[in-house]
């Protein structure tokens, strides 16, 4: 069609201009999402107490980035913990370790699952059991080495020619932390052959993970036959195929054995064609350092993992795709739109929902699109009592919208009462079959009633805190429901309660860790209490939409007895009032803004501000860092009074700090209006944690009027800034800030990244797009009943409009793929094997 050809021509011209701009950067963004489910068949302890107290950690190489709760006295611990984080650096292995918790000694790992980065795609979006393998210290390596090897010829005083091997250890990068801090590394350099072992070592570099050695070592390769030293070989006996240089990295320990950090082996024959070899190498485990134990010896771990690596191009590349997606709400019928088609072709609709919702939200197109989707859903609903009960694209998009924009609403509303329930959980079991010996059902019933009434009260009184966008969505649902079922007086309430109670509050109550309301999955007893509360709340929320006898809807008799404790009419009035308020477009959110909401908190290491620099040992202390919507503060411990705080409105920059300043990784600085020359220096517990602190503080302070445009990436030490050597402590920064220009955003949405995710989904589903296109052609030719194959599952209301949209999608995706391929070729050409970006040993 002419429209498609014109679109392709326009896209081609635009991209040709963009490609001419050599300085445009491509961002490589990595993320990891998944679930640590459970372990089974763990080996028992030797002795009378055979049970274990275990927890699980996630590590990027040797850096811990996540830890579950401790499950006590179990050989089949259930964790059930979801995780998601951005990965801010390159890595080789993603590993999961099972640890024994010890109260008197260091926690020790006894089993692990390690997955190479390139193998993560094989287990994407799969729930699988993985055998646990033995943890061997000689296999726990991380980092890379830069070295240079030369072969020189020397002429002795007697005129004989002698060959000399020159090995220069230049530097290392990314060595693991030792006990949470940068170590004291050194390198051992060996020249190894069948009948020789010459060994030398570098100096120890103190407190660094990126040591700069720049030391050169000399080894004699050939000698004259008259050389008589016993330990030396004769030239004729030497086999060059078996000669190699071995570099071992160690961490120097004063009182105990040095810790192995990794090794590399470089064969001398590499110099046959070139007398000089200079390259980066990834550190490898020892030859015998990774002998996995049999799976039945150590048990298994069930995991669900989804790893994404996105190559995000500059914004101009996605303009045509964005145009196609953003006009979806205007396409008639909505089933022929690009967004709806994406939901149709993705087998797992949920993977398409998040990037779609975020992209449409960023461009203020979300509410009209949800309105059109819900209208399509209602056209297929025959009875009012089943309204929005399925897992359609509409319901999933609304679910994700509530979770995305309502997370702070949940924190204001539910977190205080959930903390009370989880921290001092009372017995609430009312099922006679599950009662334990000594339980009093009447006392349990009263405990449950107390919790339910408190939760119900905070929910129905929270309407003023409900985000405006959620109110607009609920208002739209009410209008559609009343138009679809004009004779049903209850449908306007059931349309909203099916989301706000059933899919929002009830889900957050039963799984508070999934909404960041609690740090971990609750224990079994607390989980049962939360399940009973959640079940009660969703039933109370649906009372106002039930026209029949309310108690007849319960399957369990004990629940019928329990609900008799509640005043039915009073609850119905409260729910109706709440739904009317959250469904009003006049709803605002002033009360939620006035309350202090804890957005993030955790233990960090902080550098003392203004302390005498001579007392270096006391300069860094562990503190509890807490971020709210009003201020960031640090405390001696969690729950203690604030020692120091900075108002969010006074923050002018949040930036990373270079490791060389204090020989510490994962440090960042917070600059404020009050003391711009005295930043608050903070060290995160790992790279993921530090990155999350920087991102969330930047997001909150990005609108501040006095934000800096430049900063110092190093500290002011010994009378000058380490970065620019300026001796004026109040000198302006020497590096551009990374926070970007001010923008009025409450949610950090990277629309280019979301467009890239959508492109990847379309690209992965090109065969299904073709099948849908074929189905449109069949419908257009033959209007009778269609064969019941895969195409019968596609929603095609207007085959011609759908066909046109499919061709536009295919054209845009194929054009965009060309530029990804050009970038991949350019990147592979630029990243020479052995370079810093592509070290030897990386697959």
């Amino acid at each position: 069609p002419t429209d498609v050809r014109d679109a392709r021509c326009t896209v081609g011209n635009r991209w040709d201009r963009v490609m001419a701009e050599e300085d445009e950067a491509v961002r490589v963004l990595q993320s990891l999402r998944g679930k640590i489910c459970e372990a089974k068949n763990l080996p028992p302890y030797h002795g009378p107490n055979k049970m274990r107290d275990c927890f699980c950690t996630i590590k990027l190489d040797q850096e811990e980035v996540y830890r579950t709760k401790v499950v006590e006295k179990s050989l089949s611990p259930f964790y059930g913990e979801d995780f998601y984080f951005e990965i801010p650096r390159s890595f080789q292995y993603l590993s999961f370790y099972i640890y024994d918790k010890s109260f008197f000694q260091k926690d020790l790992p006894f089993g692990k699952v390690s997955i190479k980065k390139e193998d993560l795609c094989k287990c994407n979006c799969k729930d699988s059991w993985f055998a646990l393998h033995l943890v061997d210290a000689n296999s726990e390596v991380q980092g890379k080495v830069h070295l240079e090897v030369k072969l020189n010829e020397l002429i002795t005083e007697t005129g004989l020619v002698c060959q000399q091997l020159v090995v220069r250890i230049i530097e290392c990068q990314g060595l693991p932390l030792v006990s949470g801090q940068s170590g004291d590394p050194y390198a051992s350099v060996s020249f190894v052959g069948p009948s020789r072992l010459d060994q030398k070592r570098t100096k120890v570099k103190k407190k660094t993970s990126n040591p700069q050695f720049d030391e050169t070592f000399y080894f004699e390769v050939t000698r004259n036959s008259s050389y008589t030293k016993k330990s030396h070989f004769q030239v004729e006996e030497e086999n060059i195929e078996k000669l190699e240089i071995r570099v071992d990295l160690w961490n120097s320990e004063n009182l105990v054995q040095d810790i192995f950090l990794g090794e590399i082996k470089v064969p001398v024959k590499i110099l046959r064609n070139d007398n000089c070899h200079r390259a980066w190498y990834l550190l490898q485990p020892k030859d015998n350092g990774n002998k996995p134990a049999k799976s039945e010896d150590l048990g298994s771990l069930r995991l669900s993992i989804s790893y994404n690596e996105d190559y995000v191009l500059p914004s101009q590349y996605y303009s045509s795709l964005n145009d196609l997606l953003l006009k979806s709400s205007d396409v008639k019928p909505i089933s022929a739109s690009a967004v709806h088609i994406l939901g149709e072709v993705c087998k797992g609709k949920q993977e398409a929902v998040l990037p779609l919702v975020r992209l449409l939200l960023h461009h203020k197109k979300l509410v009209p699109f949800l309105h059109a989707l819900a209208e399509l859903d209602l056209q297929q609903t025959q009875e009012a009592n089943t309204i929005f009960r399925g897992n359609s694209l509409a319901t999933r998009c609304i679910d994700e919208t509530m979770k995305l924009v309502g997370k702070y609403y949940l924190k204001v509303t539910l977190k205080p009462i959930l903390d009370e329930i989880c921290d001092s959980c009372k017995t609430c079991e009312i099922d006679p079959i599950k009662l334990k010996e000594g339980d009093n059902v009447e006392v349990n019933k009263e405990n449950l009633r107390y919790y339910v009434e408190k939760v119900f009260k905070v929910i129905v009184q929270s309407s003023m805190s409900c985000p405006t966008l959620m109110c607009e969505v609920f208002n739209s649902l009410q209008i559609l429901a009343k138009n679809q079922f004009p004779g049903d007086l209850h449908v306007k309430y059931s349309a909203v309660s099916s989301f706000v109670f059933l899919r929002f509050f009830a889900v957050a109550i039963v799984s508070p860790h999934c909404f960041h309301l609690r740090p971990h999955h609750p224990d079994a007893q607390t989980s049962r209490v939360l399940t009973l509360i959640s079940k009660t709340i969703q039933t109370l929320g649906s009372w106002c939409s039930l026209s029949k006898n309310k108690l007849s809807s319960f399957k369990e008799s004990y629940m019928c007895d329990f609900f008799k404790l509640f005043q039915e009419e009073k609850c119905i009035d409260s729910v109706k009032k709440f739904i009317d308020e959250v469904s009003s477009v006049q709803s605002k959110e002033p009360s939620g803004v006035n309350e202090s909401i804890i957005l993030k908190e955790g233990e960090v290491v902080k550098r003392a501000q203004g302390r005498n620099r001579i007392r270096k040992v006391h300069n860094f202390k562990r503190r509890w860092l807490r971020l709210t919507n009003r201020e960031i503060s640090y405390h001696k411990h969690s729950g203690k009074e604030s020692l120091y705080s900075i108002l969010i409105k006074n923050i002018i920059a949040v930036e990373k700090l270079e490791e060389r300043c204090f020989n510490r990784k994962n440090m960042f600085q917070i600059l404020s209006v009050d003391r711009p020359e005295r930043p608050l220096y903070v060290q995160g517990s790992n790279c993921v944690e530090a990155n999350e602190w920087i991102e969330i503080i930047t997001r909150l302070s990005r609108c501040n009027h006095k934000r800096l445009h430049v900063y110092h990436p190093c500290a002011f030490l010994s009378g000058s800034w380490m970065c620019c050597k300026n001796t004026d402590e109040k000198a302006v920064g020497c590096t551009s800030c990374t926070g970007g220009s001010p923008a009025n955003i409450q949610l950090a949405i990277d629309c280019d990244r979301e467009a890239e995710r959508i492109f990847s989904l379309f690209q992965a589903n090109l065969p299904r797009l073709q099948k849908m296109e074929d189905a449109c052609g069949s419908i257009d030719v033959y209007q009778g009943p269609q064969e019941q194959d895969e195409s019968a599952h596609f929603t095609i209301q207007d085959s011609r409009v759908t066909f046109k949209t499919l061709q536009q999608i295919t054209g845009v995706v194929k054009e965009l793929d060309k530029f990804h391929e050009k970038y991949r070729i350019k990147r592979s050409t630029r990243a020479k094997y052995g370079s810093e970006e592509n070290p030897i040993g990386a697959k």
Side-chain angles (χ1 to χ4, degrees), residues 114-126:
S114 285
I115 307 170
K116 286 185 177 181
K117 178 182 175 180
E118 55 266 24
D119 292 335
L120 284 171
C121 59
K122 298 176 184 177
C123 46
N124 249 11
C125 303
K126 294 179 182 177

Side-chain angles (χ1 to χ4, degrees), residues 107 183 318 356 404 601 632:
D107 300 332
Y318 301 105
L356 286 175
L404 191 62
E601 58 182 341
I632 185 166

Side-chain angles (χ1 to χ4, degrees), residues 186 233 271 403 605:
Y186 69 90
F233 63 98
L271 296 173
K403 192 172 183 179
V605 174

Side-chain angles (χ1 to χ4, degrees), residues 533-717:
I533 295 171
S534 175
K535 193 173 185 177
T536 310
I537 290 298
Q538 59 181 286
T539 304
L540 290 175
S542 65
W543 266 7
C544 62
S545 60
L546 296 174
S547 55
K548 57 183 179 181
N549 182 2
K550 312 297 185 296
L551 297 180
S552 66
S553 61
F554 300 115
K555 297 177 182 178
E556 306 93 342
S557 58
Y558 63 87
M559 292 301 291
C560 290
D561 294 336
F562 176 64
F563 272 92
K564 291 176 182 177
L565 300 175
F566 295 91
Q567 298 179 30
E568 183 178 313
E569 294 303 321
K570 184 178 179 182
C571 288
I572 290 174
D573 291 343
S574 298
V575 170
K576 283 185 174 181
K577 181 175 181 293
F578 169 72
I579 290 178
D580 285 336
E581 289 171 348
V582 297
S583 303
S584 170
V585 290
Q586 302 301 319
S587 295
K588 304 295 179 185
E589 38 188 313
S591 61
V593 177
N594 291 333
E595 297 183 44
S596 181
I597 310 168
I598 298 176
L599 304 178
K600 184 174 177 62
E601 58 182 341
E603 190 176 67
V604 299
V605 174
K606 179 200 72 70
R607 183 174 188 263
Q609 290 181 293
R611 187 180 291 275
N612 189 331
R613 292 338 189 235
I614 296 174
R615 300 182 63 193
K616 292 184 179 179
V617 71
H618 300 298
N619 269 359
F620 291 90
K621 289 187 177 181
R622 294 193 177 276
R623 290 289 183 254
W624 188 262
L625 193 64
R626 175 174 293 159
L627 176 68
T628 72
N629 56 326
R630 293 178 178 175
E631 64 180 17
I632 185 166
S633 57
Y634 62 79
H635 313 247
K636 194 167 186 178
H637 301 290
S638 176
K640 296 291 185 180
E641 292 295 319
S642 168
L643 299 176
Y644 180 75
S645 64
I646 302 173
L647 293 175
I648 297 299
K649 65 180 181 181
N650 289 338
I651 294 175
I652 54 178
V654 186
E655 298 290 344
K656 291 181 179 180
L657 191 72
E658 291 185 9
E659 181 186 341
R660 62 191 174 107
C661 299
F662 304 111
N663 287 326
R664 288 173 178 258
K665 281 187 170 185
N666 307 320
M667 289 202 69
F668 60 96
Q669 53 183 316
I670 305 171
L671 292 86
S672 64
V673 173
D674 304 329
R675 303 172 71 182
E677 75 284 356
R678 291 283 180 86
L680 175 62
Y681 294 127
V682 180
Q683 182 183 26
S685 57
N686 55 64
C687 64
V688 170
E689 194 73 10
N691 193 59
E692 288 179 355
W693 278 114
I694 293 170
E695 285 199 0
I696 192 170
I697 300 170
T698 300
R699 187 189 317 159
L700 287 171
S701 61
R702 191 171 287 174
C703 302
N704 292 351
H705 298 297
K706 296 183 179 180
R707 277 192 66 89
L708 295 180
H709 298 290
V710 290
Y711 77 106
H712 291 285
C714 291
F716 187 84
L717 297 174

Side-chain angles (χ1 to χ4, degrees), residues 69-72 78-79 425-426 429 434 436 510 521-532:
K69 64 178 179 180
V70 177
V71 177
E72 298 179 348
F78 178 82
Y79 299 106
C425 187
K426 300 176 182 179
E429 187 55 71
K434 296 183 179 180
K436 296 179 181 179
V510 79
H521 188 282
D523 58 45
Q525 179 179 324
T526 307
S527 184
R528 174 61 179 166
V529 172
L530 294 176
T531 299
L532 290 170

Side-chain angles (χ1 to χ4, degrees), residues 106-305:
K106 182 180 178 180
D107 300 332
L108 294 175
F110 67 87
K112 71 173 183 178
V113 173
S114 285
I115 307 170
K116 286 185 177 181
K117 178 182 175 180
E118 55 266 24
D119 292 335
L120 284 171
C121 59
K122 298 176 184 177
C123 46
N124 249 11
C125 303
K126 294 179 182 177
D127 192 318
S128 306
W129 284 99
F130 295 85
L132 289 167
H133 295 294
L134 186 67
V135 178
D136 182 354
N138 286 335
S139 68
E140 308 295 294
V141 302
Q142 171 187 318
K144 53 189 175 184
V145 182
H146 192 198
L147 86 164
E148 182 181 73
V149 183
K150 292 181 181 179
L151 194 60
N152 292 341
E153 285 191 351
L154 302 177
I155 301 176
T156 65
E157 294 178 355
T158 59
L160 294 173
V161 176
C162 177
Q163 285 186 313
Q164 186 182 57
L165 189 69
V166 182
V167 181
R168 179 184 170 211
I169 306 299
I170 303 170
E171 62 178 313
C172 293
Q173 285 189 7
L175 298 182
L177 301 179
V178 178
S179 301
Q181 300 297 330
S182 297
D184 301 332
Y186 69 90
S188 169
V189 185
S190 304
F191 183 34
V192 183
S195 55
R196 71 180 293 167
L197 175 59
D198 295 349
Q199 190 171 18
K200 301 178 182 182
R201 56 175 281 181
T202 67
K203 296 177 182 177
V204 174
K205 296 296 181 179
K206 293 289 187 180
K207 303 299 179 188
T208 179
S209 297
N210 300 314
Q212 302 287 320
F213 292 112
D214 200 14
E215 294 190 40
T216 304
F217 303 96
Y218 301 91
F219 300 93
E220 192 172 342
V221 180
T222 60
R223 300 179 178 89
N224 57 357
S225 57
S226 62
Y227 205 90
T228 58
K229 196 170 181 180
K230 291 182 180 180
S231 62
H232 292 251
F233 63 98
Q234 298 297 321
V235 178
E236 294 80 5
E237 299 172 2
E238 193 66 44
N239 185 349
I240 195 171
E241 295 292 334
K242 297 179 181 179
L243 283 175
E244 67 180 15
I245 302 141
R246 192 177 69 211
V247 180
D248 297 280
L249 267 294
W250 298 86
N251 188 72
S252 178
E253 299 285 330
N254 292 326
L255 302 177
V256 294
Q257 184 177 358
D258 292 350
I259 298 173
F260 176 75
L261 300 178
E263 71 174 13
I264 65 167
K265 294 180 180 180
V266 183
V268 173
K269 65 181 180 181
I270 203 168
L271 296 173
R272 275 178 169 167
N273 299 323
D274 191 351
N275 282 343
C276 181
H277 171 71
R278 181 169 178 161
W280 284 88
Y281 284 79
L282 280 179
L283 287 170
Q284 303 295 330
K286 278 191 182 293
D287 290 338
N288 61 348
N290 193 15
K291 295 180 180 178
K294 295 180 180 179
S295 59
E296 60 267 26
D297 292 340
L298 296 176
S300 304
L301 183 63
R302 185 161 67 92
L303 302 168
S304 176
I305 304 169

